[in-house]
């Protein structure tokens, strides 16, 4: 799936734009995000970006940079990459160093999360130079903070700590609470990485220093988080502190914090953090001499209906390996170790897919901006001939950017479009064949969609498609290909998922559609979907054959009465 934005600006001639109200709204969303409500803040910022005229380059760049900063906290890395690249182009055009530093800092963080360490480091260094040129200590601290993340992605936690400590020294002289918390929290995490390294190498002195530093910085981050009033920040900080205490064998001190972390994560619906809290409890039990109970907890987490993301799954599998090893169950420990190796390969493949997509995004945006710059130069050369040509050139630039998005993205839903799906599907099938993986293709169709349009109008039909796309995003993995390939027809390609497992996933999606509050769109609205699935190990089958089989399965679901999932 691509997590790209489709946020078309209002026409330049719109005169209803209230700049002061816009600025107040953006500031309010900064405050909202600082309190931990990233989802609601990002959704409102997207609406503000839609309402911001194309001529308001600085305001558009500010919102894009802010979205790029917030999206990674929601797992939307490719959307963050696109926003950062667009903000970067606008900042360069405006010659604004503060905006440029913000965009480069966000771009550095995304690259670091995708393990593109060299690119992350280059962006971070450029952000640092830009922030220093602007004389802005807060942005200088953020740049150094992200340079630390870049070093961590290059497996250099020592340099990651050094850069983050430098960032902390600068942040401590400012009144910016968020960067101060981020520095402490990141530093705690990097010291925990050094704990793992020192433990693996048997370096006693380095281990003692790393344990003490990890605990100290995690306690400082926790204190800052509590003062912020953000339960999300408290949960994240306490997680690092619990890890530091467990690593140092301070089990009695860890227990109340572990309970607090679990309650915060579960009560506030932080799903990933909730799994981490349960995994930490298993580690606690193992260290307390109850490895069998620890193993039962970890196996239950792995077998949950909502499968954890790969990196979190790796944490659980590693804990199971260590737990069985501690019990002397070496056969079981070896089995989990082998599964962890296989999962590492999958994570690397998934990262390569995302890295490729981010590079394509960067190239597409840069090309679009280059074309726009060329159009501006043409307009300037022709300005003497007629003033009205400037307006025409602006329209052409906006049209070029819209076409660039349309080449790979469905405007209505934000998913991939049919053109992109036809390009990507054969590559995914071939990749699955080469890797010896299973693959599943699902085609989904809205039942009686013409009747919905006829009864409620096309605006309601569009809203149905948009909300259905959101349901798809929430229930499929970010690495899965999702596309709208027809009026009311969608395609999902799940690599590494067998057809029967795909059927379970799609059945949960179908039930989510049934249970969705469609009446909120318009009274009396009922929406149901039918799904056809085909797949297996590709072997000699071509992408077209698999797609045809999925279509036949979809037709079978329709013939059987609709509102169901049918597997070929």
């Amino acid at each position: 799936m691509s997590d790209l934005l489709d946020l078309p600006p209002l026409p330049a001639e719109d005169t209803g734009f209230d700049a002061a109200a816009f600025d107040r709204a953006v500031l309010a969303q900064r405050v909202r995000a600082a309190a931990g409500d990233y989802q609601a803040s990002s959704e409102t910022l997207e609406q503000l970006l839609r309402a911001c005229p194309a001529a308001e380059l600085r305001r558009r760049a500010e919102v894009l940079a802010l979205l790029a900063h917030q999206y990674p906290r929601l797992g939307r890395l490719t959307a963050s990459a696109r926003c950062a690249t667009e903000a970067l182009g606008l900042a360069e055009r405006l010659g604004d160093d503060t905006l440029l530093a913000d965009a480069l800092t966000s771009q550095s963080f995304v690259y670091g999360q995708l393990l593109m360490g060299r690119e992350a480091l280059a962006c971070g260094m450029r952000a640092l130079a830009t922030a220093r040129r602007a004389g802005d200590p807060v942005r200088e601290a953020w740049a150094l903070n992200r340079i630390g993340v870049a070093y961590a992605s290059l497996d250099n936690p020592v340099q990651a700590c050094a850069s983050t400590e430098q960032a902390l020294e600068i942040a401590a002289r400012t009144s910016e609470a968020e960067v101060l918390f981020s520095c402490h929290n990141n530093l705690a995490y990097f010291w925990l990485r050094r704990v793992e390294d020192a433990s693996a190498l048997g370096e006693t002195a380095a281990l003692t220093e790393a344990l003490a530093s990890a605990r100290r910085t995690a306690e400082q981050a926790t204190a800052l988080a509590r003062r912020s009033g953000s339960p999300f920040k408290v949960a994240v900080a306490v997680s690092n502190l619990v890890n530091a205490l467990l690593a140092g064998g301070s089990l009695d001190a860890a227990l109340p914090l572990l309970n607090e972390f679990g309650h915060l994560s579960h009560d506030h619906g932080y799903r990933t953090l909730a799994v981490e809290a349960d995994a930490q409890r298993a580690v606690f039990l193992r260290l307390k001499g109850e490895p069998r109970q620890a193993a039962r907890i970890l196996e239950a987490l792995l077998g949950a209906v909502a499968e954890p993301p790969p990196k979190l799954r790796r944490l659980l599998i590693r804990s199971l390996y260590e737990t069985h090893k501690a019990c002397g169950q070496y056969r079981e420990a070896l089995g989990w170790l082998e599964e962890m190796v296989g999962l590492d390969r999958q994570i690397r493949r998934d990262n390569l897919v995302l890295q490729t997509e981010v590079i394509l995004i960067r190239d597409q945006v840069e090309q679009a901006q280059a074309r726009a710059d060329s159009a501006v130069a043409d307009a300037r050369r022709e300005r003497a001939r007629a003033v009205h040509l400037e307006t025409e050139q602006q329209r052409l630039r906006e049209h070029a950017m819209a076409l660039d998005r349309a080449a790979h993205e469905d405007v209505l839903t934000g998913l991939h479009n049919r053109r992109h799906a036809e390009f990507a599907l054969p590559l995914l099938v071939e990749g699955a064949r080469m890797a010896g993986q299973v693959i599943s293709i699902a085609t989904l169709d809205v039942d009686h969609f013409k009747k919905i349009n006829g009864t409620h109008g096309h605006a309601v039909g569009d809203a149905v498609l948009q909300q259905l796309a959101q349901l798809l995003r929430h229930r499929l993995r970010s690495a899965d290909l999702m596309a709208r390939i027809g009026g009311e027809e969608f395609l999902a390609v799940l690599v590494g998922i067998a057809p029967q497992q795909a059927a379970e996933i799609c059945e949960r999606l179908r039930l989510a559609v049934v249970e969705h509050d469609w009446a909120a769109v318009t009274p009396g609205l009922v929406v149901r979907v039918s799904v056809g699935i085909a797949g297996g190990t590709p072997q000699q089958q071509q992408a077209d054959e698999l797609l045809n089989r999925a279509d036949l399965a979809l037709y079978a679901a329709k013939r059987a009465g609709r509102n169901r999932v049918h597997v070929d």
Side-chain angles (χ1 to χ4, degrees), residues 53 95 145 172 175 192 205 346 373 381 406 480 486 528 556:
N145 180 299
S175 59
L192 285 169
Q346 178 191 331
D373 290 341
R381 285 192 296 268
D480 295 332
R528 301 290 184 266

Side-chain angles (χ1 to χ4, degrees), residues 12-33:
E13 63 270 22
D14 184 272
T15 57
F17 180 67
D18 186 337
F22 182 90
D23 293 342
R24 287 194 299 272
V26 172
L27 178 60
Q29 297 320 306
R30 288 184 183 275
V31 174
R32 199 176 194 179

Side-chain angles (χ1 to χ4, degrees), residues 55-136:
E56 293 286 341
L57 299 184
R58 197 189 190 289
R59 288 184 169 87
R60 290 184 67 81
E62 180 183 0
V63 176
L64 284 164
L66 190 53
L67 282 169
H69 178 72
Q70 293 183 187
Y71 276 153
R73 291 160 177 79
L74 304 174
R76 300 180 63 185
L77 294 180
T78 52
S80 176
R82 174 171 284 278
C83 288
T85 305
E86 291 187 359
L88 184 59
L90 292 175
E92 287 174 336
R93 190 181 304 175
L94 291 165
D96 189 314
D97 280 343
T98 58
L99 283 176
L100 193 59
D102 288 343
L104 286 165
T105 299
S106 295
Q107 199 170 54
S108 173
F109 184 70
V110 172
Y111 287 157
Q113 294 299 297
L114 294 172
L115 303 184
M116 300 167 66
R118 293 182 182 277
E119 292 88 343
L121 190 57
C123 286
M125 291 298 187
R126 189 179 168 198
L128 179 61
T130 305
R132 285 173 173 169
R133 187 168 63 237
D136 191 322

Side-chain angles (χ1 to χ4, degrees), residues 188-208:
Y189 176 76
F190 299 149
W191 276 113
L192 285 169
R193 290 273 297 272
R194 293 179 68 173
V195 168
E196 292 180 9
D197 291 348
S199 178
L201 295 172
E203 297 175 347
T204 305
L207 178 60
T208 301

Side-chain angles (χ1 to χ4, degrees), residues 32-48:
R32 199 176 194 179
D37 196 354
Y38 296 110
Q39 181 69 44
S41 174
S42 297
E43 289 173 356
T44 303
L45 287 170
E46 289 169 4
Q47 295 171 5
L48 289 170

